[in-house]
Amino acid sequence: MPKATSQRQLSTADERRRTVLETAVSAFADRGYFGTRTTDVAQRAGISQAYVYRLFPDKEALFVAVVEHCFERVRESLGDGAAAAKGSSAQEVLDAMGNAYAELISDRDLLLLQLHAQCAAASEPAVREVVRSGYARLVEYVRGVSGAPEADVQRFFAVGMLCHLVTALGTHEVDAPWARTLSEGLRHY
């Protein structure tokens, strides 16, 4: 009777890279760009720091890749929302995309990563560039898919930023006039 052999299946570099990116989202969400070390990411991913450096040349490249990964998740979410729209009017599509985005940012790690990226963009040129290009693609996508006028697209993103604030502060849990003013009419998941 032949012996059964067990083969260990190795991850491809692309699979490992994706695992590191997904793990790094939570690491950077916890402590931000400036407070997170590549060793923190490596430990969470269960790999060596040297392997992180084989995949990404430095912390900045890792963070930029993580931010890009998050923009891809946002874009996918908006696409899912647009596909689920109950009608084809610009407002119906925007509402459906907004609902999908509200659901997405209930993932606290993704929300915090976005906030940290926006903060780091203020002083780090490479981060600023990835955040700018990410928003440029999202704005063009929302404009194209919804067919909404510029003012409505701007309002869509402004409400999204307000959702970041409301969700990060947990204002829906605060019974005070200022919190109700900020939270009124926003979706929470």
Side-chain angles (χ1 to χ4, degrees), residues 6 8 25 45 49 55 60 62 80 87 93 104 108 123 140:
S6 71
R8 180 173 172 234
V25 169
Q49 183 180 21
L55 297 170
E60 179 180 80
L62 173 60
D80 292 345
V93 173
L104 180 68
R108 194 147 177 88
S123 62
E140 292 307 318

Side-chain angles (χ1 to χ4, degrees), residues 16-153:
R16 183 59 80 176
R17 188 176 201 278
R18 183 156 184 89
T19 298
V20 170
L21 287 175
E22 290 170 0
T23 302
V25 169
S26 67
F28 284 116
D30 285 348
R31 305 208 40 184
Y33 175 67
F34 300 104
T36 302
R37 300 168 303 152
T38 55
T39 55
D40 300 329
V41 175
Q43 287 173 346
R44 287 185 191 211
I47 60 176
S48 69
Q49 183 180 21
Y51 196 79
V52 171
Y53 283 122
R54 284 181 61 197
L55 297 170
F56 303 95
D58 54 29
K59 182 172 95 168
E60 179 180 80
L62 173 60
F63 188 73
V64 164
V66 168
V67 172
E68 182 61 38
H69 172 73
C70 285
F71 272 108
E72 289 169 11
R73 286 187 58 199
V74 171
R75 165 55 187 82
E76 289 169 10
S77 174
L78 295 177
D80 292 345
K86 303 237 185 283
S88 59
S89 75
Q91 195 56 55
E92 289 168 318
V93 173
L94 289 174
D95 287 346
M97 287 192 293
N99 189 53
Y101 184 70
E103 207 168 317
L104 180 68
I105 64 170
S106 69
D107 173 347
R108 194 147 177 88
D109 285 347
L110 182 78
L111 167 70
L112 292 174
L113 187 276
Q114 289 182 28
L115 293 172
H116 284 302
Q118 291 165 5
C119 290
S123 62
E124 298 299 314
V127 177
R128 182 179 312 117
E129 186 52 40
V130 75
V131 171
R132 281 180 179 170
S133 67
Y135 274 108
R137 287 190 311 276
L138 290 179
V139 168
E140 292 307 318
Y141 178 76
V142 169
R143 177 187 293 127
V145 169
S146 70
E150 294 296 309
D152 291 349
V153 172

